[in-house]
Amino acid sequence: MDNSLHIKLAKEFGTPLYIINENKIRRACRKFKDAMYKNYGKDSQVLYASKALSCIKLYKIINSENMELDVVSGGELYTALKSGFPMEKIHFHGNNKSLEELIMAIDLGVGRIVVDNEEELEKITNLRKQCNILIRVRPGIDVTTHSAIKTGTIDSKFGFSFEESEEVVKKVIKNDKINFKGFHCHIGSQIFDSKSFEKSAEIMMDFIGKIFLKLGVKTDELNLGGGFGVKYTKNDPEPNINEFIFYSSEKIKQKSIELNIKQPFVYIEPGRGIVAQAGVTLYTVGSIKKTKNETYVIVDGSMADNPRFTLYRADHEVINISEDEFDCSNKKNTIKERVTIAGKCCESGDIIAKNVEMRIPQIGDILKVRCTGAYNFSMASNYNKLCRPAMILINDKKAQIIVKRQTYDDLISSEL
Ligand code: LLP
């Protein structure tokens, strides 16, 4: 059913084309919200980490699901503003927020500024404007994932060490404009081991206990970050959202009793867990090339619209939906081969997927790359002056274009 709709959309809107499914997004939102409610009750909230996919329409969906938002730049904040997102429900992240970004965020009344470093704290202090802050901590946890997406190690570029965080708390509690709310940590992305989340909850609670004991300062809120693993291919495990949250919530409850402190309000901030599986990308096959050791199926997209293989050797499943649609019996008889799906950029590393088993497609066939809802559109570039694809949102009732395909004029619009 999906395939015939996707073929229709490819014909109508052209390729490459991003398609996201609203029902799947809403289902994912509810899974996280239900799991949080089940384990923490009402003293919890889910923020959508919008670096995974940031656009006005999606922010409206997130808002209508009563979730909050994590933004990481003035650009994401501006997009949220334009979508009508309530500013007090936004957490503003970033490890080098500019003065302009901080002024914008504080003047708009964002809910929390997640302070990452000394220089940022100084800028906020000098502004002498009322704001609520969380302090970002590096909990010193090494997780099993690609090194580029680990964020909680002792050498991470994000946040303060525990010793530094203690000094920050001492400073901010003396400041009558800065309202200290609590701490934030994020250990990395695409994590499947619930024990890693449990460990970070434990370490953070011990720290919260220490801050209370040493400084007498209460921590009202704890943001445990995102990073919940997503099943991209059949080789990935099926994630259990409830289990991810259960272990850390148990640890937080246990630690609150042990340390005799009030359990903080807990936030999590999944990004890919909300949107990855809701998205697919469609491409048209333009060329097939056999070399001594490779068979390249070359499509009209590239690392410019999906840089994940190039950056992380990330796997995505690819299927030929024209083949299914126009069931040609002669095709069915041909044997499947291992092919490399390559893009059209002038660069050998421009690969969308490797070791894909498929029958050699026909020129003009439509390929569907699965699980591209996260970190595709949001990480797209104009490399080789390629225009960014359009994005279509589908739900039970209709398919609507929510991001226009860029034009050549868009490409030069900021050039003087
Ligand atoms: N919170 C913070 C502070 C983060 O830095 C991130 C991701 C998240 C939440 C959401 O993580 P998620 O639930 O989406 O895993 N481009 C890479 C992922 C980079 C993640 C950066 N931070 C990729 O395509 O895999």
Side-chain angles (χ1 to χ4, degrees):
M1 204 278 274
D2 262 5
N3 286 352
S4 45
L5 172 64
H6 290 168
I7 293 262
K8 198 173 144 254
L9 293 173
K11 282 192 185 135
E12 188 177 344
F13 296 99
T15 56
L17 187 67
Y18 297 119
I19 300 176
I20 55 166
N21 183 314
E22 181 171 346
N23 301 338
K24 289 187 182 172
I25 293 171
R26 290 190 186 276
R27 268 206 299 277
C29 291
R30 287 167 202 178
K31 258 193 186 169
F32 278 101
K33 286 205 72 167
D34 290 350
M36 285 299 273
Y37 191 76
K38 191 169 158 198
N39 290 291
Y40 290 102
K42 59 176 177 31
D43 286 334
S44 66
Q45 180 54 292
V46 183
L47 304 158
Y48 164 59
S50 70
K51 68 210 76 186
L53 170 53
S54 164
C55 66
I56 290 173
K57 184 68 196 179
L58 178 59
Y59 285 172
K60 287 184 194 237
I61 295 173
I62 297 296
N63 188 26
S64 73
E65 289 294 326
N66 282 318
M67 277 172 41
E68 303 197 0
L69 199 64
D70 144 5
V71 301
V72 77
S73 67
E76 286 184 355
L77 181 57
Y78 184 76
T79 310
L81 178 69
K82 290 291 164 182
S83 78
F85 208 94
M87 290 291 128
E88 70 282 5
K89 291 187 175 177
I90 295 182
H91 287 208
F92 188 33
H93 282 282
N95 67 321
N96 189 8
K97 303 174 188 75
S98 68
L99 183 61
E100 293 72 23
E101 284 176 318
L102 287 168
I103 294 172
M104 174 183 178
I106 294 173
D107 287 351
L108 285 172
V110 300
R112 305 285 178 271
I113 307 249
V114 185
V115 178
D116 178 272
N117 55 68
E118 278 295 338
E119 292 73 14
E120 181 181 334
L121 184 65
E122 199 178 312
K123 283 180 212 160
I124 295 175
T125 309
N126 292 340
L127 284 173
R128 297 211 45 77
K129 292 179 182 219
Q130 210 75 44
C131 64
N132 299 320
I133 67 153
L134 296 181
I135 298 169
R136 177 153 182 176
V137 181
R138 307 191 276 279
I141 293 183
D142 202 352
V143 290
T144 313
T145 192
H146 191 285
S147 61
I149 53 178
K150 292 180 185 182
T151 44
T153 61
I154 46 168
D155 290 320
S156 165
K157 70 167 180 167
F158 299 102
F160 296 95
S161 67
F162 284 120
E163 294 72 32
E164 292 162 346
S165 303
E166 196 178 318
E167 293 310 307
V168 176
V169 174
K170 283 185 199 159
K171 272 190 209 164
V172 295
I173 53 168
K174 284 194 229 127
N175 189 308
D176 60 340
K177 299 280 184 199
I178 303 176
N179 186 12
F180 167 70
K181 288 282 186 187
F183 297 102
H184 171 278
C185 71
H186 170 74
I187 53 179
S189 267
Q190 191 57 355
I191 297 165
F192 287 93
D193 176 16
S194 307
K195 294 283 168 184
S196 301
F197 295 114
E198 181 189 27
K199 186 84 201 145
S200 75
E202 179 177 21
I203 293 180
M204 293 303 290
M205 284 303 286
D206 280 336
F207 181 59
I208 288 174
K210 185 176 165 197
I211 290 292
F212 183 59
L213 212 64
K214 274 182 89 171
L215 310 177
V217 175
K218 287 201 203 103
T219 298
D220 293 333
E221 298 178 4
L222 174 59
N223 183 332
L224 290 169
F228 309 99
V230 160
K231 186 175 174 63
Y232 280 85
T233 70
K234 56 183 179 331
N235 298 327
D236 292 324
E238 189 67 59
N240 182 335
I241 308 293
N242 191 58
E243 194 181 290
F244 285 152
I245 291 161
F246 171 77
Y247 286 109
S248 31
S249 77
E250 285 299 297
K251 193 51 85 181
I252 288 177
K253 285 173 204 161
Q254 178 207 323
K255 282 281 167 187
S256 306
I257 297 167
E258 193 182 308
L259 300 162
N260 196 22
I261 50 177
K262 188 174 173 280
Q263 193 176 313
F265 186 101
V266 177
Y267 295 97
I268 53 164
E269 44 191 24
R272 84 181 72 223
I274 303 289
V275 288
Q277 289 185 328
V280 299
T281 309
L282 305 183
Y283 299 108
T284 305
V285 176
S287 161
I288 293 174
K289 191 172 286 183
K290 288 200 184 239
T291 62
K292 189 160 170 249
N293 300 303
E294 291 271 2
T295 301
Y296 289 105
V297 172
I298 302 171
V299 295
D300 54 355
S302 69
M303 62 192 277
D305 63 74
N306 179 0
R308 299 195 71 253
F309 184 86
T310 311
L311 284 174
Y312 321 111
R313 293 286 173 270
D315 283 330
H316 285 266
E317 280 176 4
V318 188
I319 57 164
N320 181 347
I321 55 173
S322 299
E323 186 181 57
D324 288 348
E325 185 68 2
F326 307 109
D327 186 17
C328 311
S329 42
N330 62 334
K331 270 193 193 171
K332 293 276 163 191
N333 291 334
T334 54
I335 322 150
K336 287 191 172 178
E337 284 186 37
R338 256 173 210 280
V339 304
T340 295
I341 312 294
K344 61 183 282 171
C345 281
C346 284
E347 168 151 349
S348 301
D350 173 26
I351 303 292
I352 301 288
K354 256 191 182 298
N355 296 321
V356 176
E357 278 208 28
M358 59 165 54
R359 292 175 196 87
I360 300 301
Q362 314 244 318
I363 303 303
D365 278 359
I366 306 292
L367 302 191
K368 169 154 77 180
V369 181
R370 290 207 171 106
C371 212
T372 59
Y375 304 112
N376 275 238
F377 172 73
S378 66
M379 293 212 297
S381 75
N382 289 124
Y383 184 41
N384 287 180
K385 280 237 157 127
L386 294 172
C387 295
R388 286 194 195 141
M391 193 183 317
I392 310 295
L393 180 76
I394 55 177
N395 58 28
D396 293 337
K397 294 193 200 96
K398 59 178 180 194
Q400 80 184 107
I401 182 158
I402 58 166
V403 180
K404 286 193 290 186
R405 185 177 300 285
Q406 280 186 321
T407 63
Y408 292 146
D409 280 331
D410 291 331
L411 294 180
I412 56 164
S413 64
S414 53
E415 294 185 26
L416 305 173

